[in-house]
Amino acid sequence: MHLPIVLLAVVVVVLFLVPAISSQPPPPPPPPEDCERSCGNVSIPFPFGLTERCSYDSSFLVTCESGGPKIVLFYENIDIVNINTNTSELEAMAIVAYDCSNSSYSATFETNGSFSISKKNRLFAVGCNISGDTDNTSCDSVCNYDSMRNGSCLAGNGCCEAKLPKGITGFFISTYRSVGMDRNELDKNPCSYAFVVEQGKYEFSTTDLLDFQGTKRNYPMTWLLDWAIGNDTCAMVDQESDDFLCKGNSECIQEFVGRGYRCRCKQGYSGNPYLKDNCINIDECKVGTHNCKGECIDAPGNYTCPCPNGKPGEYRKDVNTCSADELPIIQIFVGTLVAGLFLILLFTWIYVGLKRRKSLILREKFFKENGGIMLQQKISRDEGPQIQAKLFTVKELEKATNNYDQSRIIGKGGFGTVFKGYLPGDRIVAIKMSKIVDQTQTQVEQFINEVFILSQINHRNVVKLIGCCLETEVPSLVYEFIPNGTLFDHLHNECKSKAINWDIRLRIATETAGALSHLHSGVSVPIIHRDVKTMNILLDSSYVAKVADFGASRLIPMNQDKLATMVQGTLGYLDPEYFQTGQLTEKSDVYSFGVVLVELLTGKKIVDFNKPENERQITKSFLASLENETLFQVLDEKLQLNEVPDHEIILVSMLAKRCLHLKGNERPTMKEVASELERISAPSVIDKHPSVTSTSKEEETTCLLNGASGDYEDIDGTDTSSLEFHSMKASLPK
């Protein structure tokens, strides 16, 4: 058995977002008539040119060399085969990457702002036991010589084929092979190849495995580049401006959705649509492209086929509308047509009526199944104020989300999917579509619970409920749109985490605590969130915190301080006392908030299964660092501790420790937590704290820490928080 030839063809397709549209200098005047418009046997039409004065701008500049025309696009000189102004496409010779025993070549290609890679292209790789795999493009191929055939690469025998993603502007392609292959296999397949070509421009041959370059030297393997003018689309560009190229009988292609705009000659005209007055009328009668049965008369952009004997109508091969001599035939035709139209209208009216009735019945059914009756009963029992949110119709939400287009998805959670939507007046909202309801009605209760709870909350740090829709199989909630994502994303994204310094983190903690305090003690019936975590804290463009996702929340009657529920929460954030007893209290949110404080301080994920078992939960490591006086070794390195007040770090850390007590009655209330954070974050907090009695900074901070730790028990009459503070101060980096 031969050792397999291991060949890896990798195509890294780099997706570029369309850059922000910026103003650009006006293009040069139309090219002079004396411009050279060919290189060898290749035509070079405007907007391309062999000199800058003959091209639209420098990105369309073509060089004419002995081997033919070329255009320079960043890393590669591209050999041009054809330029088509009707389709705005540039056809170029394919770039081939290869790997042989004594040589290799990797191709990097990137367009400039006027070009993109056509979706008509395909990725091909030629070789044995080939595997190409990226986030966007992959293909696999093996070599079974007994069954190998010439032709398509879709079977993956000897070569493989894959589509390229839409809208890309560059790629990197390379191949490499393993060592230790036997001579027999090397003789059959000495090199591996990878290339991008237009679909249909490459046909596999078994001889390619042995000598690809030799057999394909004269083969027209080409690929396509799309091009457009400027940055503005047809809808954005000033079409009355002198700089706009689609003039005369040329029109702007509205269907083109990429960056810039394209021109084409209007129907019935031909020429270069990018040159003024260059689209000339086609004489269909002369060239023979008409479909007249008799005489043909040319007209601007069209033609006519007059009826014999001067009768009105058109005498065409496909449709003959010439008037007949017999009047009764016309009357019969008109009568039949009128009767047919009447029957069509009648059946249409009946069909629309039945469909509308069926739709109303279905909407009423969904309203009941989605908890509409349950919501009405909650309101009627005076469990809360009248809901002010708007009830949206199905059509309103479909229009807002472009029929729930997948590109509008901005998040997925345990209870549903969140879409970005646009209401009339360009108001941006977040639309949460719940998952399909189960037989036990658990998700119905979660959904109605969230509507009912959010309707009672009016706080700047709680996401605002705008409305809901119960008329579809999957119910939906409509919130205000919070543009900056979740706190979790900002803490654990390498780039975003650098933007949230200590002041921002402290403010986020203070605002979140204030929102939870409002839920616990600022509403008529206390609300326990039950799923406090960084993924449920959203940030607006100014990094203002917004507490979200109340699907698991519960109302606590005024005469109770706890509620027996099925345990629910997120691993790492879940209150251990609630987990063991099933008794939900306000202190359960306090514990979860303490975990959030740890996450803000350390910048690490609360549970990380990639670490050793004793290091998986960061809360344990954090509490251990307080006991071992090594707090500053576990803090987030991106906090730049030399610029952060030491006393604020330690006060927040000790507050987190108080929140993380295993016993709920030993934790502070959210109101106390919010007040403490406000004191910590307030300007000149040292001077304002009532425990300050000394001018020494260390003494002042020690007093602050003593004041913040009043709920802790002393051991042998010693203030443990003070001791910990002095030890941690001594371990600070110099």
Side-chain angles (χ1 to χ4, degrees), residues 624-640:
S625 71
L626 291 176
E627 296 294 332
N628 300 331
E629 303 173 0
T630 57
L631 171 64
F632 288 86
Q633 296 180 15
V634 300
L635 297 181
D636 192 347
E637 297 177 354
K638 294 182 286 297
L639 281 177
Q640 298 180 348

Side-chain angles (χ1 to χ4, degrees), residues 7-9 123-133 137-143 153-162:
L7 168 63
L8 176 64
L123 160 68
F124 287 90
V126 177
C128 295
N129 296 327
I130 190 171
S131 175
D133 189 1
T137 307
S138 65
C139 70
D140 300 279
S141 172
V142 297
C143 281
C153 289
L154 296 177
N157 190 2
C159 70
C160 62
E161 174 183 354

Side-chain angles (χ1 to χ4, degrees), residues 364-380:
E364 183 177 353
K365 172 189 173 185
F366 288 146
F367 180 82
K368 294 179 180 179
E369 292 179 350
N370 290 333
I373 303 300
M374 186 187 307
L375 185 60
Q376 292 175 342
Q377 290 174 347
K378 278 181 174 286
I379 297 173
S380 64

Side-chain angles (χ1 to χ4, degrees), residues 491-551:
L491 286 175
H492 305 299
N493 181 288
E494 184 66 25
C495 296
K496 294 182 179 180
S497 61
K498 297 177 181 178
I500 53 173
N501 56 27
W502 170 249
D503 291 337
I504 293 177
R505 297 188 192 198
L506 183 58
R507 178 165 57 81
I508 291 172
T510 305
E511 292 171 345
T512 304
L516 294 175
S517 174
H518 177 77
L519 296 178
H520 290 183
S521 57
V523 294
S524 58
V525 180
I527 300 169
I528 299 179
H529 189 282
R530 203 163 62 147
D531 197 16
V532 176
K533 57 185 178 181
T534 52
M535 291 189 70
N536 287 339
I537 300 174
L538 305 180
L539 303 177
D540 69 6
S541 56
S542 300
Y543 295 98
V544 174
K546 300 278 187 175
V547 179
D549 202 341
F550 289 80

Side-chain angles (χ1 to χ4, degrees), residues 104-126:
S104 64
Y105 171 72
S106 298
T108 299
F109 178 76
E110 181 181 343
T111 67
N112 60 33
S114 300
F115 294 80
S116 62
I117 298 172
S118 173
K119 63 181 181 180
K120 298 177 182 178
N121 296 311
R122 294 291 184 271
L123 160 68
F124 287 90
V126 177

Side-chain angles (χ1 to χ4, degrees), residues 585-648:
T585 69
E586 295 177 353
K587 298 298 182 70
S588 299
D589 280 354
V590 175
Y591 182 89
S592 300
F593 180 76
V595 179
V596 171
L597 287 180
V598 173
E599 201 167 349
L600 283 167
L601 287 162
T602 64
K604 298 179 178 63
K605 294 182 180 179
I606 296 303
V607 180
D608 190 346
F609 290 102
N610 294 325
K611 293 184 177 180
E613 186 173 355
N614 60 341
E615 300 179 9
R616 287 179 180 175
Q617 292 193 8
I618 190 61
T619 51
K620 292 183 179 180
S621 302
F622 175 80
L623 294 175
S625 71
L626 291 176
E627 296 294 332
N628 300 331
E629 303 173 0
T630 57
L631 171 64
F632 288 86
Q633 296 180 15
V634 300
L635 297 181
D636 192 347
E637 297 177 354
K638 294 182 286 297
L639 281 177
Q640 298 180 348
L641 296 176
N642 58 328
E643 300 179 4
V644 178
D646 305 336
H647 67 277
E648 291 185 3

Side-chain angles (χ1 to χ4, degrees), residues 327-340:
L327 185 60
I329 296 178
I330 297 178
Q331 294 174 336
I332 294 173
F333 173 77
V334 173
T336 303
L337 180 62
V338 171

